[in-house]
Amino acid sequence: MVYAKTKNKEEWRKHATSMCCVLIASLIMSVNIKSFVRAGNLIPGGFTGLSLLLQRSAFEFLGVSLPYSLINIVLNAVPAFIGFKMIGKKFTSYSVIMIILNSFLVDLIPVAPITYDPLLVSVFGGILNGIAIVIALYGKASSGGTDFIAVYLSNKLKKPSWNFVFGINVVILMAAGLLFGFEEAMYSIIFQFVSTQIIERFHQRDQRVTLFIVTSKAQLLEQELMSYTHHGVTRLEGQGCYLKENKALLYTVVGADEVKDVVHLVKALDSKVFINTVKSEGITGRFYQEPLE
């Protein structure tokens, strides 16, 4: 009963965290579009950039002013459907919320350029864009479009794939260069490169951490761990040298962003558990241990 309440409370906490991250990321991305991106006439890549490209093309070549929200939501409909099937319902649901919020915020927030220097716009706009995506990914969401591709490939390949998506964005940006000039396209590539490096540096999901868990409740923990993380668990039997009690060592590898939640889960099930976390590079990790009784 106590564990059920703890688990339910943890689920609500994660949901609240995800929603806060989605709101903050949507706001940052929208402000970035209406300040740095608009000031430099940049195409930020991905479906956000494709939406801006179509909006700008319709206005300049057809004289039609299309709302960004309409274009962005329609373009993301197919990737969102694929995300539900291939990535996960929760992740895609939060992403859809972010896509809708970002779309309407871009239409509502007034244009407020901070600087017109193209290099400053490219660098600082890229930093803000990367930060927004990192915050969204921390909340188990994305900005949609090519982010779905990056997350899917990262899950399948077990390694970061953002630089691959950067290559796709370069192709989109070169196409934009044919329409509006290669100078703006090249600055847009700088913008996208900076954004990609921020994501690669600060997004922890693709970083792996090894957990060594010493417990006397191995059967309970291993089932809950596999159910919660969807990762395999290896179990080794042993004996504590201090109290001569039978113990089991559970070995598993999780994403760096999962460690805190997994530790909370394990300690809720076994208050006397010993956990050693070690980064995949082999750097000594943190220790969570109850004092000997």
Side-chain angles (χ1 to χ4, degrees):
M1 179 66 71
V2 174
Y3 170 63
K5 289 182 179 179
T6 302
K7 188 174 182 180
N8 188 49
K9 184 178 180 180
E10 189 69 18
E11 286 296 321
W12 276 105
R13 184 189 67 81
K14 289 195 292 183
H15 175 67
T17 299
S18 293
M19 288 304 300
C20 286
C21 288
V22 166
L23 289 170
I24 294 170
S26 298
L27 183 60
I28 292 174
M29 186 167 288
S30 302
V31 170
N32 188 39
I33 290 173
K34 299 306 286 282
S35 56
F36 289 104
V37 174
R38 293 288 193 190
N41 288 322
L42 301 180
I43 305 297
F47 276 42
T48 299
L50 188 57
S51 298
L52 291 171
L53 178 61
L54 290 174
Q55 186 185 39
R56 185 175 173 185
S57 299
F59 181 76
E60 294 198 11
F61 298 118
L62 301 176
V64 178
S65 181
L66 296 175
Y68 172 85
S69 55
L70 175 64
I71 303 172
N72 196 42
I73 291 173
V74 170
L75 283 179
N76 278 284
V78 173
F81 177 77
I82 296 172
F84 272 110
K85 297 290 186 180
M86 308 289 287
I87 301 176
K89 293 181 179 179
K90 282 187 177 181
F91 178 86
T92 307
S93 296
Y94 290 129
S95 299
V96 168
I97 294 173
M98 179 167 173
I99 291 167
I100 294 172
L101 277 174
N102 179 51
S103 298
F104 285 104
L105 284 172
V106 169
D107 284 338
L108 294 172
I109 295 174
V111 177
I114 296 174
T115 176
Y116 289 98
D117 184 285
L119 185 58
L120 290 177
V121 166
S122 302
V123 174
F124 285 94
I127 291 173
L128 279 180
N129 190 68
I131 290 173
I133 294 176
V134 168
I135 292 173
L137 291 169
Y138 179 80
K140 306 296 187 295
S142 76
S143 61
T146 51
D147 286 0
F148 283 131
I149 299 173
V151 171
Y152 174 75
L153 290 177
S154 295
N155 290 342
K156 285 296 181 182
L157 301 176
K158 306 300 181 185
K159 62 180 181 180
S161 60
W162 295 95
N163 283 324
F164 171 77
V165 175
F166 170 69
I168 297 175
N169 286 325
V170 169
V171 175
I172 296 174
L173 294 171
M174 294 308 294
L178 292 172
L179 295 173
F180 302 110
F182 283 100
E183 182 174 340
E184 290 180 5
M186 287 187 287
Y187 279 118
S188 296
I189 290 173
I190 294 174
F191 173 100
Q192 191 60 40
F193 176 78
V194 172
S195 177
T196 300
Q197 299 314 305
I198 291 292
I199 299 168
E200 287 272 359
R201 175 65 181 84
F202 293 104
H203 179 44
Q204 292 189 325
R205 180 177 175 82
D206 300 322
Q207 301 173 18
R208 300 296 168 181
V209 174
T210 301
L211 299 182
F212 295 96
I213 304 169
V214 180
T215 179
S216 57
K217 300 180 180 180
Q219 189 169 355
L220 173 62
L221 289 187
E222 64 189 32
Q223 293 300 321
E224 292 294 337
L225 280 170
M226 287 189 290
S227 174
Y228 184 80
T229 66
H230 303 290
H231 298 302
V233 178
T234 300
R235 176 176 172 178
L236 301 173
E237 299 294 341
Q239 185 182 72
C241 295
Y242 186 77
L243 298 176
K244 305 300 181 183
E245 295 178 340
N246 291 329
K247 298 279 186 179
L249 172 66
L250 302 180
Y251 169 92
T252 187
V253 179
V254 300
D257 63 330
E258 299 175 293
V259 174
K260 185 177 179 180
D261 290 337
V262 171
V263 168
H264 281 304
L265 171 68
V266 171
K267 291 182 74 65
L269 294 169
D270 183 2
S271 61
K272 297 182 180 180
V273 72
F274 171 92
I275 307 174
N276 180 20
T277 67
V278 182
K279 292 183 180 179
S280 58
E281 295 85 0
I283 301 172
T284 303
R286 295 170 292 175
F287 289 81
Y288 299 85
Q289 183 182 19
E290 290 292 329
L292 295 170
E293 295 181 353

